[in-house]
Amino acid sequence: MKIVMYDFKTSADERGALSAVEGGKDIPFEIKRVYYIYSTKPEVRRGCHAHKSLKQVLVCMKGSCKILLDDGKERQEIRMDMPGKGLFIGEMVWREMYDFSPDCVLVVLASDHYDENDYIRDHVDFIKAAGHSRDHSP
Ligand code: TYD
């Protein structure tokens, strides 16, 4: 599976660091929604779903966590701990988030508004649907 990780423009000087993300430029969609996950208990597994058409970029703003990506053929684990980097997750990719550090803040930039009908929450259903889907790169 091809993992797409964006390196956002980061300016660092004696004051600290600033990273910038522009929708449609630095990532391949206009940002319609931002949500963030924090205060997550260490033993918790979040996500555990795929989206039929939503695209997302995940940025670990603080702390660390792990993301499992599964495109129906391959599974890959990615450790997230760099606020200047963004992990692209296209449509029809199963994702699970876990091993959150107590201070982890995971920000998600999404291509569309929240829509429960866009979710596939059952892994067996996902595997069936993924068998009929195409390439999910940006
Ligand atoms: P949930 O889907 O369980 O989160 P995760 O995929 O990280 O495990 O979402 C938790 C709750 O938040 C659920 O009631 C739906 C709601 N929610 C929104 O209202 N808007 C959003 O953009 C998202 C992602 C979730």
Side-chain angles (χ1 to χ4, degrees):
M1 185 189 339
K2 190 176 154 220
I3 301 298
V4 177
M5 187 72 83
Y6 297 112
D7 251 317
F8 300 128
K9 184 175 174 245
T10 298
S11 311
D13 57 30
E14 63 287 348
R15 297 170 300 169
L18 185 156
S19 297
V21 186
E22 296 193 22
K25 254 171 100 177
D26 301 312
I27 61 173
F29 54 81
E30 293 296 341
I31 300 161
K32 277 206 180 171
R33 175 166 52 114
V34 176
Y35 65 92
Y36 32 100
I37 295 168
Y38 54 97
S39 301
T40 312
K41 305 277 180 298
E43 69 283 3
V44 160
R45 225 170 165 89
R46 298 202 64 130
C48 306
H49 63 255
H51 285 283
K52 295 173 197 165
S53 61
L54 189 75
K55 295 175 173 51
Q56 297 182 314
V57 170
L58 277 59
V59 184
C60 186
M61 292 287 176
K62 190 169 165 60
S64 64
C65 65
K66 288 180 187 152
I67 319 266
L68 174 80
L69 296 183
D70 171 358
D71 65 1
K73 294 191 201 92
E74 284 176 67
R75 291 158 78 84
Q76 198 153 326
E77 184 184 79
I78 298 116
R79 183 181 154 84
M80 301 286 290
D81 58 4
M82 304 266 280
K85 284 183 184 285
L87 174 68
F88 176 82
I89 309 182
E91 71 275 19
M92 292 305 292
V93 175
W94 185 267
R95 86 289 314 271
E96 300 183 12
M97 291 93 101
Y98 49 96
D99 277 359
F100 288 86
S101 64
D103 60 344
C104 182
V105 181
L106 184 66
V107 174
V108 182
L109 312 175
S111 64
D112 216 335
H113 298 149
Y114 179 74
D115 176 9
E116 185 56 38
N117 293 320
D118 190 62
Y119 280 73
I120 302 176
R121 293 193 181 273
D122 183 287
H123 194 260
V124 173
D125 292 344
F126 165 70
I127 292 295
K128 279 186 206 154
H132 302 292
S133 66
R134 43 166 197 85
D135 181 27
H136 312 299
S137 42

